[in-house]
Amino acid sequence: MKTKITIITMVALFMIAAPLLAVSAYDPDTNVVYAQAAEPFVGTSVRAMSMGGAGLGVKGYHDSFLINPANLAKSGFKFTLPSVTVTVYNPKTILESDLIDAIGEEDYDLAATEFLSIFDIGYGDVLTTDVSTVLTIGSFGLALEMQERLMSYQAGNDSSSLNLIAQVTTAATAGLGFRIGIVPDKVSIDLGVTAKAVYRGYYEAIDSELAISLIDGSEEIDTILLNDTPIIAGYALPISAGINVNFPAGLTLSVAAKNFNGNYKMTTYQSINDWSVEVLGNEIGEDTSTDSEFTSEEFEIVSDWRLDAGLTWVPDIGSLVRPVLAVDVVDITSMGGLQGDDLKRAFFEQTRLGASVRLLSILDVRGGISQGYKSIGAGLDLLIFHIDAAYSIQEYGASIGDKPIDALSLRFSLLSR
């Protein structure tokens, strides 16, 4: 009798604990393929990319408060109609390959082969597209952003282990800032806070075989992506806060704490059509999925907060030339407890250096250094039309030099720069 009671008790405990112990195949915490899907959402800033990722205390631009909420204080009126930013990764490798020619000649078999040859072992990005609208009035800011990101992960040297992950993120950000005068016209403190509502969805990874089929047309992309590929979607409500201490001679010391409460609550769906039915209440198209054994799951993606600090110098030397120098150190809390060479290495890897010179109020020339990699860029303002470009290199490996990937970004916008 005691044996039966023990067995029944164990079964009952297992039934209760099993859901708690369930691990989703799409959870970035347990599946390395999706690790990049756990990264906090950050819209692409071409200006920051061209300055080596620095610019925590750089004010006066439409997206300044998205980098540091304290930049909202006394920011005035700015409005951008939907600006579009396109970032292509590995542009040098693409230009050296026959990919573009193969596409132009409609040789999709060759295009697929050349496309797969671009990738190497580890993580990477393929293409990112951002669309955003930003409004600031006085010390209040509002931003609406949408980003499409195509990521990659290759487990080995062979392209047969390649996985492509398509991700779409939407975000609405509201922020408020204010200024405290300490010494009139000399020293002041800017404080700011932003709250962001983020909704993110990413597809189940597409392997190289399916990627080839989609490129050469042997598989219908709308059928595959609408009905036959699971999608993982969910939301986060992160909060960020920042402080600027403004000194004479154009010096600003900045500190920003980002991504508090940034964990994502995720749910798996059989397809984007199924997601549309569950979330929006209507189908996108005819449901042709044949997987009757799919089980929806819920899990949480942990996204840690970080603390950044920076020093910005904007000397006032007249209206014809406006130089900006910026030094930022990102995620400084991760350096806690490090000593000696480890501390020096971490400081070097997490320091961003950037410079910008504005000429005649119409042209920005920019440059920067991040992790030893140089970046360059420019911005051109023609009345209400603005163009920004940046060429930069980012490290995707565990250490500097393991896997640098170059990126070319172009941004087009109207009204405020």
Side-chain angles (χ1 to χ4, degrees):
M1 184 65 178
K2 291 183 178 180
T3 303
K4 291 183 178 180
I5 294 175
T6 302
I7 294 174
I8 293 173
T9 302
M10 293 178 63
V11 171
L13 289 173
F14 176 78
M15 293 177 66
I16 294 172
L20 301 177
L21 298 175
V23 176
S24 174
Y26 308 111
D27 187 346
D29 289 336
T30 56
N31 190 337
V32 295
V33 172
Y34 300 100
Q36 292 180 100
E39 297 174 354
F41 170 70
V42 179
T44 302
S45 173
V46 177
R47 172 176 57 85
M49 290 179 68
S50 61
M51 294 178 64
L56 202 63
V58 177
K59 310 168 188 176
Y61 294 86
H62 76 284
D63 61 348
S64 293
F65 81 95
L66 296 174
I67 297 174
N68 179 4
N71 293 332
L72 263 176
K74 303 290 185 180
S75 62
F77 177 79
K78 294 180 181 61
F79 178 62
T80 62
L81 287 174
S83 63
V84 179
T85 303
V86 178
T87 303
V88 178
Y89 295 85
N90 292 296
K92 184 174 181 293
T93 302
I94 291 173
L95 291 175
E96 292 173 349
S97 72
D98 295 325
L99 176 60
I100 298 177
D101 292 338
I103 294 175
E105 297 171 1
E106 299 184 356
D107 186 349
Y108 296 115
D109 289 333
L110 177 59
T113 301
E114 293 294 318
F115 177 73
L116 295 180
S117 69
I118 294 172
F119 302 96
D120 198 357
I121 187 171
Y123 297 101
D125 274 292
V126 183
L127 177 70
T128 301
T129 304
D130 293 76
V131 179
S132 65
T133 295
V134 178
L135 170 68
T136 64
I137 301 175
S139 295
F140 171 78
L142 178 66
L144 302 176
E145 302 171 272
M146 182 176 71
Q147 182 187 81
E148 169 277 327
R149 182 183 180 190
L150 182 60
M151 305 170 286
S152 67
Y153 175 74
Q154 186 165 304
N157 293 317
D158 193 331
S159 63
S160 62
S161 64
L162 173 67
N163 291 276
L164 299 176
I165 304 97
Q167 174 181 278
V168 176
T169 305
T170 59
T173 305
L176 184 65
F178 60 95
R179 175 168 293 175
I180 302 173
I182 305 299
V183 179
D185 300 323
K186 291 187 179 297
V187 180
S188 62
I189 297 177
D190 296 335
L191 302 174
V193 62
T194 58
K196 191 187 298 281
V198 184
Y199 194 84
R200 167 175 292 174
Y202 56 93
Y203 275 108
E204 178 183 64
I206 296 174
D207 60 26
S208 58
E209 183 178 352
L210 180 55
I212 292 174
S213 299
L214 294 175
I215 294 173
D216 64 20
S218 57
E219 292 280 1
E220 294 292 336
I221 188 169
D222 54 347
T223 300
I224 295 295
L225 297 184
L226 281 179
N227 294 292
D228 294 337
T229 306
I231 185 172
I232 305 88
Y235 67 92
L237 302 171
I239 297 172
S240 299
I243 179 171
N244 289 331
V245 182
N246 306 302
F247 297 100
L251 284 172
T252 297
L253 177 64
S254 305
V255 177
K258 304 179 180 180
N259 202 47
F260 286 109
N261 192 49
N263 292 355
Y264 286 86
K265 312 299 188 296
M266 308 299 290
T267 302
T268 61
Y269 300 90
Q270 184 173 357
S271 65
I272 194 171
N273 191 53
D274 180 49
W275 169 87
S276 182
V277 172
E278 294 289 333
V279 177
L280 303 180
N282 61 278
E283 293 184 342
I284 295 179
E286 182 181 358
D287 188 357
T288 61
S289 176
T290 59
D291 186 359
S292 60
E293 298 181 357
F294 184 87
T295 301
S296 180
E297 302 169 326
E298 295 184 357
F299 62 92
E300 183 176 70
I301 296 178
V302 177
S303 184
D304 295 330
W305 73 281
R306 81 179 200 191
L307 187 67
D308 299 345
L311 182 65
T312 305
W313 183 38
V314 186
D316 186 2
I317 58 175
S319 59
L320 297 181
V321 179
R322 184 175 181 268
V324 176
L325 297 176
V327 181
D328 292 355
V329 181
V330 302
D331 197 13
I332 58 177
T333 55
S334 66
M335 292 187 287
L338 298 179
Q339 297 179 350
D341 291 340
D342 291 337
L343 179 60
K344 293 178 183 178
R345 186 182 303 107
F347 184 80
F348 174 75
E349 292 179 349
Q350 295 168 216
T351 298
R352 312 287 185 258
L353 306 174
S356 174
V357 178
R358 186 163 180 80
L359 304 173
L360 303 175
S361 298
I362 61 171
L363 177 66
D364 284 309
V365 180
R366 306 170 182 132
I369 299 176
S370 173
Q371 298 179 309
Y373 301 120
K374 299 177 182 178
S375 59
I376 58 172
L380 180 63
D381 300 331
L382 300 174
L383 298 177
I384 65 170
F385 187 68
H386 310 281
I387 303 174
D388 291 277
Y391 180 77
S392 60
I393 299 176
Q394 303 172 48
E395 179 58 62
Y396 283 76
S399 302
I400 295 176
D402 286 352
K403 190 179 181 181
I405 295 179
D406 60 332
L408 177 64
S409 297
L410 294 174
R411 174 181 174 271
F412 304 90
S413 66
L414 294 174
L415 301 181
S416 299
R417 60 188 175 94

